[in-house]
Amino acid sequence: MRTAPLTVVDAWSMARRSCSRSCFCYHATWRPFRQAGMKSNPRWHLDFYQQGLAGRTPARVLVCGSSDETMPQLLTGLLPRAEVTVADACPTPLRLIDAWADWVGADVVTARSHAPRLAGLSGPFDVIVTDGLLSLLPGTAARDALLARWAELLAGNGVLLYTTRLAGPGGRLEFDKPSRAVQALAAAAWPAPPAERVRLARERWQTPSRPAPYKTAGQVADAFRAQFKQVRVFTRAAAPTLTLAAHPAFWVGRGSVCVGVVAALPREER
């Protein structure tokens, strides 16, 4: 059993041991960005989760994708009697979650599974929660397949809570370039030959951070309506952290917008 909470060093070390090339720079730098209030994380959407879960006492909850232990930490606080399963493609967040659960004594199960198939997961789940996962998939077909898989896994009277962040009129999330720069620097620690680390650093610098596939909250809602009969959308334009509020985009009303979707009544036949 752990005797201390997880640290930035713990997360960095875990990423070096467990991440693939494609996600090392993201997971190695995620924790300091989250703690600095620069990167969207589940705590930004706490009010939304409380609204979406109001009056519900779910037995089984699926967290689909999690950068670290933040999401299961939040959900076990909101739903202390629920059985929580966390699925992710990368071992790093799953091992961080296992370490956190061991430290606090939380009853959380982790499973390695890749979107959009989510092989190895068995429904039905009373609640499915996911933060921005659609932004990480390569195209419309993969996003549609994942939405269909969520509908398949969700109980008939269950609810799916999805959160994301839409860029402002400039088309880029706040702190995009600093994020890319830090991730590029992190590539120097990737356990690979020097030439490969240089290539990885160049790729990280040239790739925008988590570009959203949708430009408006309406587009997000439409994607969910293809698989769910009941879809409600919540938006928040106010900056969720002081760090984000200090960004010039929010000074002129051009900041990013937090979006939450509550989806229910899957259209797929059981």
Side-chain angles (χ1 to χ4, degrees):
M1 179 174 285
R2 289 185 61 86
T3 58
L6 294 164
T7 66
V8 169
V9 174
D10 289 328
W12 178 276
S13 300
M14 192 73 75
R16 290 197 81 246
R17 291 196 302 271
S18 306
C19 278
S20 67
R21 182 185 187 280
S22 63
C23 65
F24 168 74
C25 295
Y26 176 82
H27 283 135
T29 60
W30 165 256
R31 205 173 198 87
F33 277 125
R34 172 176 65 78
Q35 293 174 342
M38 297 170 68
K39 289 277 191 180
S40 176
N41 70 83
R43 295 205 175 278
W44 289 17
H45 310 292
L46 177 58
D47 289 346
F48 166 73
Y49 294 135
Q50 289 173 327
Q51 290 182 59
L53 295 171
R56 292 182 176 269
T57 55
R60 301 188 72 210
V61 176
L62 172 64
V63 176
C64 197
S66 189
S67 297
D68 61 9
E69 74 279 7
T70 306
M71 183 71 88
Q73 185 180 61
L74 185 151
L75 289 175
T76 53
L78 293 175
L79 305 169
R81 293 182 178 84
E83 174 190 294
V84 177
T85 297
V86 183
D88 200 277
C90 176
T92 296
L94 301 181
R95 290 173 180 170
L96 290 171
I97 291 165
D98 286 338
W100 164 79
D102 181 60
W103 176 54
V104 301
D107 186 14
V108 175
V109 176
T110 56
R112 192 175 182 192
S113 188
H114 295 256
R117 291 184 60 203
L118 300 180
L121 297 180
S122 298
F125 291 94
D126 302 301
V127 173
I128 298 176
V129 183
T130 181
D131 181 27
L133 184 56
L134 294 174
S135 299
L136 302 181
L137 297 182
T140 302
R143 292 190 289 273
D144 289 346
L146 180 56
L147 285 162
R149 181 64 171 135
W150 285 337
E152 181 181 288
L153 289 170
L154 188 66
N157 61 347
V159 65
L160 186 155
L161 305 180
Y162 179 79
T163 49
T164 190
R165 190 166 145 227
L166 302 180
R172 291 281 185 267
L173 293 175
E174 294 80 18
F175 303 112
D176 174 62
K177 285 188 176 179
S179 172
R180 287 153 56 184
V182 172
Q183 289 191 32
L185 289 172
W190 171 241
E196 180 60 25
R197 293 200 296 268
V198 170
R199 282 194 292 271
L200 179 58
R202 186 179 298 115
E203 289 174 15
R204 290 300 90 203
W205 171 244
Q206 294 173 349
T207 304
S209 298
R210 201 171 185 169
Y214 312 108
K215 295 187 182 300
T216 68
Q219 290 177 356
V220 181
D222 287 342
F224 280 83
R225 289 191 179 107
Q227 295 294 337
F228 299 92
K229 297 175 185 177
Q230 185 181 93
V231 176
R232 291 181 293 151
V233 179
F234 299 81
T235 61
R236 183 179 65 180
T241 67
L242 291 176
T243 305
L244 214 60
H247 192 280
F250 279 93
W251 301 350
V252 294
R254 296 171 63 88
S256 57
V257 176
C258 291
V259 176
V261 174
V262 180
L265 303 177
R267 295 184 184 277
E268 291 292 329
E269 293 294 328
R270 299 289 145 179

